Each structure stands twice: as C-alpha cells, then as structure tokens.
C-alpha cells in the first residue's frame, strides 16, 4: 500500500501525485521551506493531506530552530508558520494544522527547547495517525447511507491520496464495501488537474473497486440515464451555514444531482469546517496558473495569449447538500445548528 505523506528520520516523505498513474515516486523534503513548496506545487494536495503536511512542515522547521530560549524560538516559529500558511488559501485544514502546532508551543512554553521540539514532532505524527482514524469513522457513518448495488459518482480525488490514508469521499465508498455492500463508482476526470482520471481511478483500481471514468461534461447524461444513485465528494472548507467549497466543478455536479433527484453528500472531517466563515461566498478561492488550462503535459492546447480563468474551487450552496458526513456522524439541514453542535464549547 502506498503512503501519501509520512514522517521519517530523513524528513517528510510524500508520494508525488503529479507523476501518477505512470510512476510511483516518493520525494523527501528535509526543511520546512521545501514542504511549503511541495504544498504550493501540489506534490501534496487534498485538504486533510495538506493539513497533515503543514503540521509536519512546522515540526520539521521547529526542530531546526537554533534559539535556546522561548522568545527567540517563538519568533522563528512564527516565520515558519506564516510561510506554510501562505501556500494555498482555500483548504482550511492548512491553517488548522498550523494552529494545532502553535497550541503545542503555547501550552508548553515552560519546557526546555529540546523537549518542546520533541513535543511538536509527536504532535505532527499524532495529526497523521488521527486523520486515518477519522476517515475510517467517516467511512463507517457514510457507508451506512449507501445501499448495496449502488453506483456513486465522485468528483476530484478525496481518497487515500488526499488524506493520510483511506480517504473521506472514497472512505465512504470503502466503508460501504467493508460493510459487505456492493458499490460501483463513476469518477469525473476533473479538469484541469485531472485528479479524478489520474488519482481516483488509480487508487480505486489498485483496491479492486469497480470504477468507470467519465469526462466532467458526461455527468448529466449519465445521471439522466439513471446510472447514478448517490454523489459523494470531499470538501476544502465548509462554512458555518453548510456551504461547501470543493474542487471546481463540484457545484455543477450538485445542480445536476438536484435536477435528477440524486442525493448529494459531502464527506469531511471536523478540521474542514470553518465556523468563523458564515457564508460560502466568504471562502477564499484559489486561482491557479493559466497554463493548467492552456496546456496538457507541457503541450499547448489553446492559442497563445488567450484570456484564461482558472479558479481551483467553487462553492456549493447548502440547499444542494443532502448531508455532511463527519467523524461524529451525518449532519443534515438546518446546517447552522447541526454544524455548531459538532463543536462542544
Ligand atoms: O486542488 P486539490 O487537488 O488540493 O483539491 C482537492 C479537493 O478539492 C478535494 O476534493 C478536497 O480537498 C477533499 S480531499 C479529502
């Protein structure tokens, strides 16, 4: 089994999804700046995997701080945290992972520096361990929503490759299969980065899960034909009102699902829910390089100089969401109340 991201003595090791499915290459990042670069360049991607990598990046950076006293340590720590926080704006797990590490410093500021460094490394490993456990719970709760014999459409990759392992949306599919149900999957290719074609198709095939690849613009036809019984996607940030930011194209899939009376579920850990953002319109949406749209594998597809937009995410309004599957169970509308209740004071 592959490992998406791992803490090793040599540094943070990541599988490079940009080379999949052709090559399974692992890269080792030995300092926090390199980890930040890996997040920015999508060597690691998917909200939970980004959160885990950010925590590991902080631990790696902190372990090399030279300051012998907490004041100097904090100053260096802030530099590390702010570089990692500047990598990608949409997935809130990035900021969640960094904040979790900051809390370790706050709670242990009286410790000797070497001990504080050891605590930070332990915390990053714990974030990684917990993520797999959380995904299995999401899989258990979400799997219960799917009937045996169903075909599920998913968009982007919210699988093992987007998390520490098991996946969120694909975790739901794995959970249903582990519960003895027969589940088939349709994977949207997910232009422009092709997370569906390259990653979802690869990891499901590797697990012998029945998967059929379609291009994004085929989803409506496939739904109209009655082939799809449920849609399950992941999320990058969920606002307090249940609006969901996820990979560009998710919103269109949600509208299609509504039109065809197909339940549309979002699977995500609590670390993806941002109660500070009240409405989806306030979620920052990353705009990526135009070459992702104009080129494929380095080959130009569109005329040079053409105007391009490349928003990497969109926001699906809560009214299109049938349920949000978390490690604490499935939340249904009204979301403001249901999501708030997940976080006891
Ligand atoms: O740009 P990406 O590949 O990081 O976007 C990933 C997604 O949109 C996923 O659906 C989301 O992060 C959930 S991953 C469990």
């Amino acid at each position: 089994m592959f490992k998406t991201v791992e803490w090793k003595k040599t540094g943070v090791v990541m599988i490079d999804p940009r080379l999949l499915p052709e090559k399974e290459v692992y890269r080792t990042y030995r300092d926090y700046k390199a980890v930040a670069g890996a997040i920015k360049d999508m060597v690691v991607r998917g909200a939970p995997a980004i959160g885990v990598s950010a925590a590991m990046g902080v631990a790696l950076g902190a372990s090399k701080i030279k300051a012998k006293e907490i004041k100097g340590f904090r100053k260096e720590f802030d530099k590390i945290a702010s570089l990692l926080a500047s990598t990608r704006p949409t997935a809130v797990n990035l900021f969640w992972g960094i904040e979790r590490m900051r809390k370790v410093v706050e709670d242990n500021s009286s410790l000797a520096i070497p001990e504080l460094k050891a605590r930070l490394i332990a915390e990053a490993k714990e974030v990684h361990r917990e993520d797999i456990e959380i995904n299995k719970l999401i899989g258990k709760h979400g799997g219960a929503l799917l009937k045996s014999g169903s075909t599920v459409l998913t968009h982007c990759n919210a699988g093992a490759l987007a998390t520490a392992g098991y996946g969120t949306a694909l975790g739901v599919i794995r959970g249903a299969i582990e519960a003895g149900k027969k589940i088939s999957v349709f994977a949207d290719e997910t232009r422009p980065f092709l997370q569906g074609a390259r990653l979802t198709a690869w990891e499901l095939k590797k697990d012998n899960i029945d998967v059929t690849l379609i291009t994004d613009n085929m989803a409506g036809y496939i739904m109209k034909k009655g082939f799809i019984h449920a849609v399950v996607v992941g999320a990058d940030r969920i606002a307090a009102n249940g609006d969901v930011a996820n990979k560009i194209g998710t919103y269109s899939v949600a509208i299609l699902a509504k039109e065809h009376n197909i339940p549309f579920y979002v699977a995500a850990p609590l670390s993806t829910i941002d109660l500070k953002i009240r409405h989806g319109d306030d979620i920052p949406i990353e705009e990526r390089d135009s070459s992702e749209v104009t080129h494929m594998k380095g080959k130009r597809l569109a005329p040079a100089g053409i105007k391009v937009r490349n928003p990497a995410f969109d926001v699906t309004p809560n009214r299109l969401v049938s349920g949000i599957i978390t490690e604490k169970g499935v939340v249904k509308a009204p979301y403001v109340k249901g999501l708030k209740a997940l976080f006891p004071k």
Side-chain angles (χ1 to χ4, degrees), residues 32-267:
Y32 80 93
K33 287 185 183 159
V35 173
I39 296 172
K40 209 177 173 75
D41 296 342
M42 292 177 71
V43 177
V44 66
R45 35 72 47 199
I50 290 172
V52 171
S53 304
M56 288 185 176
V58 170
L60 194 58
S63 70
K64 294 185 180 163
I65 291 177
K66 293 217 167 64
K68 302 252 178 307
E69 284 161 37
I70 191 70
K71 198 169 164 223
F73 184 89
R74 273 211 180 102
K75 211 170 143 206
E76 286 304 305
F77 185 93
D78 286 348
K79 247 197 251 168
I80 295 164
S82 63
L83 181 81
L84 284 157
S86 70
T87 50
R88 293 191 76 191
T90 305
V92 72
N93 304 61
L94 174 82
F95 310 100
W96 171 90
I98 295 168
E99 276 321 298
R100 187 151 158 179
M101 299 301 279
R102 195 188 296 283
K103 192 165 181 314
V104 173
V105 177
E106 271 160 26
D107 293 350
N108 298 282
S109 56
S110 58
L111 287 182
I113 300 295
E115 214 173 308
L116 180 53
K117 289 179 177 175
R119 291 273 172 108
L120 284 163
I121 292 171
E123 186 75 356
K125 287 185 186 167
E126 179 61 10
V127 169
H128 181 272
R129 190 198 62 77
E130 277 174 16
D131 188 57
I132 302 174
E133 197 176 278
I134 285 168
N135 293 336
K136 292 200 167 155
L137 286 169
I138 290 175
K140 199 166 150 246
H141 296 308
L145 297 168
L146 303 177
K147 285 202 189 85
S148 189
S150 312
T151 299
V152 175
L153 179 95
T154 191
H155 190 75
C156 192
N157 172 264
L161 284 166
T163 59
Y166 203 74
T168 55
L170 299 193
V172 168
I173 287 155
R174 290 190 167 101
I177 292 171
E178 281 167 23
K181 297 176 185 176
K182 194 177 169 304
I183 305 289
S184 299
V185 180
F186 269 65
D188 275 351
E189 72 168 345
T190 319
R191 274 278 287 156
F193 209 73
L194 304 179
Q195 289 94 331
R198 297 187 304 102
L199 311 180
T200 297
W202 181 77
E203 69 165 269
L204 291 182
K205 196 162 175 283
K206 219 174 158 66
D207 263 7
N208 288 319
I209 296 174
D210 180 56
V211 55
T212 303
L213 177 65
I214 56 170
T215 63
D216 301 328
N217 51 357
M218 293 173 188
Y221 171 79
I222 297 290
M223 286 185 189
K224 189 152 185 282
K225 283 285 183 186
F227 295 154
I228 306 297
H229 305 103
V231 175
V232 186
V233 296
D236 288 85
R237 195 184 296 227
I238 299 173
N241 70 344
D243 289 351
V244 175
N246 191 47
K247 181 52 53 195
I248 192 77
T250 302
Y251 173 46
S252 318
V253 175
I255 289 176
L256 286 172
K258 184 80 164 180
E259 169 70 17
H260 296 95
N261 265 320
I262 298 167
F264 177 92
Y265 295 113
V266 175

Side-chain angles (χ1 to χ4, degrees), residues 145 263 265 321-325 329-339:
L145 297 168
Y265 295 113
V321 178
S322 312
I324 298 176
I325 307 160
V330 182
V331 179
K332 296 207 170 180
Y335 288 107
V336 172
K337 200 165 152 235
L339 292 177

